[in-house]
Amino acid sequence: MDRTSNKKIVMYLLLWFVSAVILTCSFIVFAACNEAANRRRITEFIQEHPEAEADIIEKFQTPSRITGMNGDTEESIHIIEEKYGYVFYKSVLAAPVFYLWGFLFICSLIWLLLVIYREKKWEKQSAVLQEALLEMLAEELKRFQKGEYQLSSESLSLIEESKLSDKWMHVIESLKELGYYFNDLKAQLQEEENSTKALITNISHQLKVPLASLHMNHELAMAEGLTTDERREFEEQEMHEIQRMEMLLEELVKVSKLEKHMITLHLKRQGIRQTIADAVSQVYGKAKKKQIDIQAEIRQDFSVLHDRKWTTEALSNVMDNAVKYSEEQSTVCIHVQKLTSCLLIEIEDEGIGIPSGELHHIFKRFYRGKDAVKKVTDGVGVGLYLSRTILEQQGGTIMAKRKPDKGTVFQITLPI
Amino acid sequence: MDVIVDKKAIKEIFVFITEYAIQEGNYMSIIVRVEDLVKYYGSGENLVKAVDHTSLELERGKFTAIAGRSGSGKSTLLHLLGGLDRPDSGKVIIENQDIYSFKDDRLAKFRREKIGFIFQDYNLIPSLNIWENVVLPLGLDNRRVVKEEAEHILDKLGLSDKKKVMPNTLSGGQKQRTAIARALITNPAVILADEPTGNLDSQTGLEVMHLLKQCVSEFGQTLVMITHDEMISQMADVVIVIEDGKVVNRS
């Protein structure tokens, strides 16, 4: 701030100097013109009245001096005017221009002093203000440390009362923004904590059921006097529960990976057909068990910038849902279509469908629809959340659409 | 209480904050804050409470969908968010500035700088070609057209080969993409869209949404969209449901 104020003063000084020089120059030019005119008139007068010459020469001894210096001309005029009543132009010192010049000069001097005084005063004031602002900043930062992320009312009134420079306003705005950011962060942390709690409750609940069932089966299998067939049945049941637990744990690992931002996508331009085929093969076994036909019509392969491993994951999650929530002997169709600027993948099923009130919740973490919970008891509700996150990180979108009769269409876009 | 001022430390903090401010947009914060907004139309028995004491906050860089039946006041709310109208009372604070404290011409300038609009019926100017339509908002403020930026936006929206074409020869999807390009050209902080896919068939609508979302995430803008299409609200980060001028649900 000091520097700019000093700069200003220097600028004003320079301005004043330039204008003073111009003013003085113009005055000198005027004076010279006046002088020349007077000299000419004296010469003319002497030519007309040669008798006067003697008086003037007497006064100055040498005639040449008549046309000499300023003072001489002045004196000559004086003599002529007194003796002959002849009126010359007024001398330059008597001319109004001289007084105007003086007036302007003094005015500019006063103006300069005033400006410098104001600048100095402002400088002093701004130094005080800066001190106050720094103190305010210190106090606000202390408040930040305490976890209060809003500017105090005193600070706000200080900001409002004083006219701040853009730079300071910028800093204060940033401080406010930082406060908002911390507040949001706090809220986000709270939300995350809540959802982690929900996750833990969910996990423990999900694991409890198969564990209890496993426990029971194990006890039964251990009992004496069982036939081989009976024992085998219990053992199979045990195996089933173990598989269920494994699957659950796998899902949970994926969620925790996603939550910890451990997923990094390696985008590569490659054919989408292989990716879709990989996804289909992941759910193929499950579909076959339920005699669900997966029809994928991909007549043409399209090269799309995507991460194969995770896109496969995203697609197979959607297909897995389609298989899970469909009746036996139904069909899941996959269409691929190139639009002007993106690739559209449609996954269509004939399943239970999604009630319209649930549509915009299905991509949320841990969300499970009411009907979905009834139909399939195990599952944590992360599949579609995972799919959406993966696709959006690649610049794509996903949405679900209710079919008029039965089932759902998932529309997935990926940039070409 | 005496505050000990460590000038050096504060200077460092000053520098830190200034630098932090330069990286604006790198963090989440509230960009639009609506405080107790009211807008009524008519009087007596014909009184319509289009926006009735509504308060809400929109996060920077998020996609917010405003859903609700027709006549629920969502368009009025969007117009008030964008400074196209003046409320009866209440505040709309965009980037910490109360936009209705501005006089009309200042408001118009602020609107052109900070807000991009996309409408259902495109609102393209029929006598100008696509390029001219897109760079028009810059011309209104006598701002220089950075050719590379404009070309990049057009390229992103698949309109590079349509620059010299007149709007009436385009399809609905192309017209809406032009409107999106026009909204993006000023690099606004907030994009307000009023049912942008309302006049498009579902596939074209999907594509427009795909592009819009992609652009918004690339340029780090905040998107607010009115829609009664529940498919589209699935793509939003936040869905606000409006009924009779009031926020009834936020999820």
Side-chain angles (χ1 to χ4, degrees):
Chain A
M1 240 174 269
D2 289 342
R3 212 176 297 154
T4 56
S5 148
N6 279 342
K7 236 188 213 168
K8 249 185 189 168
I9 288 175
V10 168
M11 208 190 70
Y12 283 133
L13 262 173
L14 212 73
L15 198 72
W16 174 78
F17 182 73
V18 168
S19 52
V21 164
I22 290 172
L23 216 58
T24 314
C25 281
S26 53
F27 176 72
I28 288 168
V29 166
F30 172 79
C33 287
N34 195 41
E35 179 81 14
N38 277 345
R39 257 189 263 141
R40 202 184 62 238
R41 307 209 89 198
I42 292 169
T43 328
E44 277 170 13
F45 184 80
I46 288 169
Q47 274 165 8
E48 271 173 44
H49 309 270
E51 69 274 12
E53 196 178 2
D55 288 333
I56 296 161
I57 294 168
E58 188 190 319
K59 185 91 188 160
F60 298 108
Q61 284 145 8
T62 44
S64 61
R65 288 189 64 186
I66 292 171
T67 51
M69 288 163 67
N70 205 359
D72 301 346
T73 322
E74 201 95 5
E75 199 62 33
S76 313
I77 290 168
H78 194 68
I79 290 164
I80 293 165
E81 277 184 348
E82 217 167 59
K83 245 188 169 165
Y84 302 90
Y86 189 92
V87 181
F88 276 99
Y89 282 142
K90 281 275 176 241
S91 100
V92 76
L93 285 172
V97 174
F98 174 73
Y99 295 104
L100 189 70
W101 174 80
F103 178 71
L104 282 178
F105 193 82
I106 288 166
C107 274
S108 71
L109 205 66
I110 291 169
W111 170 81
L112 182 75
L113 288 175
L114 268 176
V115 161
I116 291 175
Y117 173 71
R118 232 185 50 196
E119 280 299 317
K120 282 286 170 200
K121 201 174 150 194
W122 183 80
E123 200 176 289
K124 217 174 175 181
Q125 269 177 355
S126 71
V128 171
L129 181 64
Q130 195 163 1
E131 200 75 7
L133 284 168
L134 280 174
E135 259 174 48
M136 184 207 85
L137 259 187
E139 197 135 8
E140 288 304 330
L141 289 168
K142 260 190 191 161
R143 280 165 58 88
F144 267 49
Q145 277 180 345
K146 282 182 202 155
E148 291 165 57
Y149 303 125
Q150 248 154 8
L151 300 195
S152 64
S153 51
E154 296 111 57
S155 307
L156 285 175
S157 60
L158 174 71
I159 292 160
E160 243 167 64
E161 275 164 22
S162 42
K163 279 184 193 163
L164 296 181
S165 64
D166 286 352
K167 210 170 161 190
W168 269 108
M169 274 322 265
H170 196 59
V171 169
I172 282 156
E173 285 302 318
S174 317
L175 197 69
K176 278 188 195 169
E177 286 272 306
L178 209 63
Y180 293 143
Y181 170 59
F182 283 142
N183 253 339
D184 290 339
L185 216 60
K186 215 167 144 186
Q188 221 180 338
L189 269 174
Q190 188 65 43
E191 200 190 309
E192 230 156 77
E193 202 184 307
N194 287 343
S195 75
T196 314
K197 271 182 196 161
L199 176 66
I200 291 169
T201 320
N202 215 319
I203 291 171
S204 46
H205 182 76
Q206 296 286 349
L207 287 175
K208 227 189 246 168
V209 179
L211 197 67
S213 157
L214 189 67
H215 198 234
M216 196 184 70
N217 270 310
H218 185 68
E219 270 179 12
L220 286 170
M222 283 292 130
E224 282 167 25
L226 288 176
T227 63
T228 331
D229 278 352
E230 275 174 332
R231 198 178 296 276
R232 187 177 302 136
E233 201 180 306
F234 287 130
E235 276 167 4
E236 260 170 31
Q237 196 62 35
E238 272 179 57
M239 198 60 221
H240 175 74
E241 297 300 342
I242 288 168
Q243 275 168 357
R244 199 168 138 191
M245 279 170 81
E246 262 176 3
M247 195 202 73
L248 262 173
L249 284 171
E250 211 172 286
E251 293 244 312
L252 296 172
V253 167
K254 266 182 221 157
V255 175
S256 64
K257 260 192 187 175
L258 196 73
E259 295 295 298
K260 284 181 191 155
H261 307 285
M262 276 158 67
I263 297 178
T264 37
L265 299 173
H266 304 286
L267 299 181
K268 217 170 106 186
R269 191 161 285 286
Q270 49 198 342
I272 195 75
R273 201 207 308 246
Q274 186 59 44
T275 312
I276 295 174
D278 287 354
V280 170
S281 66
Q282 282 196 14
V283 294
Y284 187 73
K286 228 182 221 174
K288 206 176 174 193
K289 230 183 247 173
K290 285 180 86 174
Q291 290 175 294
I292 291 173
D293 192 16
I294 300 183
Q295 294 177 354
E297 296 169 32
I298 312 166
R299 290 195 194 89
Q300 199 191 332
D301 197 7
F302 299 104
S303 174
V304 180
L305 197 67
H306 69 289
D307 177 294
R308 177 158 285 158
K309 187 180 155 220
W310 286 103
T311 310
T312 304
E313 171 75 32
L315 292 173
S316 72
N317 280 343
V318 177
M319 291 177 200
D320 189 58
N321 271 9
V323 171
K324 249 199 253 176
Y325 301 110
S326 288
E327 298 301 326
E328 287 186 3
Q329 291 175 330
S330 60
T331 323
V332 173
C333 285
I334 299 160
H335 304 281
V336 178
Q337 199 182 345
K338 186 180 177 267
L339 304 182
T340 327
S341 55
C342 61
L343 191 78
L344 174 65
I345 303 168
E346 285 181 307
I347 298 170
E348 198 175 333
D349 66 43
E350 296 167 351
I352 55 170
I354 301 162
S356 71
E358 287 181 359
L359 270 176
H360 67 265
H361 294 296
I362 56 171
F363 295 108
K364 285 183 187 161
R365 186 175 60 178
F366 304 137
Y367 184 82
R368 296 204 66 209
K370 278 183 190 137
D371 297 346
V373 174
K374 277 181 210 155
K375 173 109 180 140
V376 180
T377 44
D378 50 354
V380 250
V382 292
L384 289 179
Y385 168 65
L386 206 65
S387 295
R388 179 183 166 157
T389 313
I390 293 164
L391 290 167
E392 286 192 348
Q393 275 182 22
Q394 301 182 73
T397 60
I398 178 168
M399 65 180 202
K401 213 167 159 181
R402 284 153 58 78
K403 284 209 295 190
D405 44 343
K406 201 178 165 207
T408 315
V409 189
F410 277 89
Q411 292 182 315
I412 294 164
T413 62
L414 278 171
I416 290 179
Chain B
M1 194 184 87
D2 266 346
V3 182
I4 304 147
V5 181
D6 182 351
K7 273 196 174 174
K8 204 180 155 199
I10 291 187
K11 217 160 211 173
E12 270 170 26
I13 292 162
F14 185 98
V15 169
F16 167 73
I17 293 175
T18 316
E19 274 173 9
Y20 203 87
I22 293 164
Q23 308 169 351
E24 259 175 306
N26 284 352
Y27 51 89
M28 187 183 71
S29 63
I30 304 299
I31 185 161
V32 181
R33 200 182 292 268
V34 174
E35 286 175 10
D36 202 31
L37 203 64
V38 178
K39 178 81 185 177
Y40 293 163
Y41 291 110
S43 62
E45 282 192 11
N46 296 325
L47 184 72
V48 178
K49 296 180 174 181
V51 176
D52 193 12
H53 298 281
T54 296
S55 297
L56 49 92
E57 286 174 347
L58 304 174
E59 279 165 23
R60 194 189 291 278
K62 289 261 165 114
F63 171 13
T64 306
I66 299 177
R69 283 192 302 262
S70 56
S72 57
K74 49 189 192 326
S75 281
T76 310
L77 178 63
L78 195 83
H79 288 178
L80 288 174
L81 283 179
L84 287 175
D85 204 348
R86 276 188 186 271
D88 295 341
S89 69
K91 283 180 184 173
V92 173
I93 297 160
I94 298 177
E95 291 200 323
N96 298 319
Q97 283 170 295
D98 180 5
I99 63 168
Y100 291 113
S101 66
F102 295 155
K103 291 210 171 66
D104 280 347
D105 43 347
R106 173 97 170 75
L107 177 62
K109 194 163 181 296
F110 183 85
R111 192 170 60 214
R112 284 200 295 270
E113 276 172 10
K114 296 280 180 192
I115 299 162
F117 287 98
I118 301 167
F119 298 98
Q120 183 174 357
D121 42 10
Y122 327 123
N123 285 4
L124 299 179
I125 293 171
S127 56
L128 300 179
N129 68 26
I130 298 311
W131 174 264
E132 289 161 342
N133 259 295
V134 168
V135 298
L136 182 69
L138 295 176
L140 289 175
D141 275 338
N142 289 325
R143 280 157 73 182
R144 208 167 56 84
V145 177
V146 182
K147 206 154 174 269
E148 294 76 39
E149 275 177 28
E151 301 257 5
H152 176 64
I153 290 171
L154 284 172
D155 188 43
K156 192 102 202 154
L157 291 160
L159 291 165
S160 319
D161 53 340
K162 295 266 188 297
K163 273 185 268 182
K164 294 275 173 280
V165 173
M166 300 310 271
N168 55 11
T169 58
L170 294 182
S171 69
Q174 287 167 332
K175 278 184 196 163
Q176 196 56 292
R177 293 203 307 249
T178 310
I180 293 173
R182 184 185 53 189
L184 292 171
I185 195 83
T186 55
N187 194 16
V190 185
I191 291 186
L192 302 177
D194 193 348
E195 300 214 25
T197 60
N199 284 347
L200 305 174
D201 63 76
S202 67
Q203 222 166 63
T204 318
L206 183 68
E207 194 173 358
V208 164
M209 282 306 301
H210 168 89
L211 284 170
L212 194 53
K213 251 200 117 173
Q214 218 183 337
C215 289
V216 175
S217 66
E218 182 184 330
F219 302 117
Q221 284 141 341
T222 308
L223 176 62
V224 183
M225 184 181 292
I226 282 185
T227 180
H228 60 240
D229 186 345
E230 56 184 13
M231 311 301 143
I232 283 163
S233 47
Q234 287 172 34
M235 289 189 194
D237 301 308
V238 181
V239 180
I240 292 172
V241 182
I242 303 276
E243 224 169 78
D244 297 328
K246 283 189 165 120
V247 175
V248 293
N249 193 8
R250 190 189 158 100
S251 57

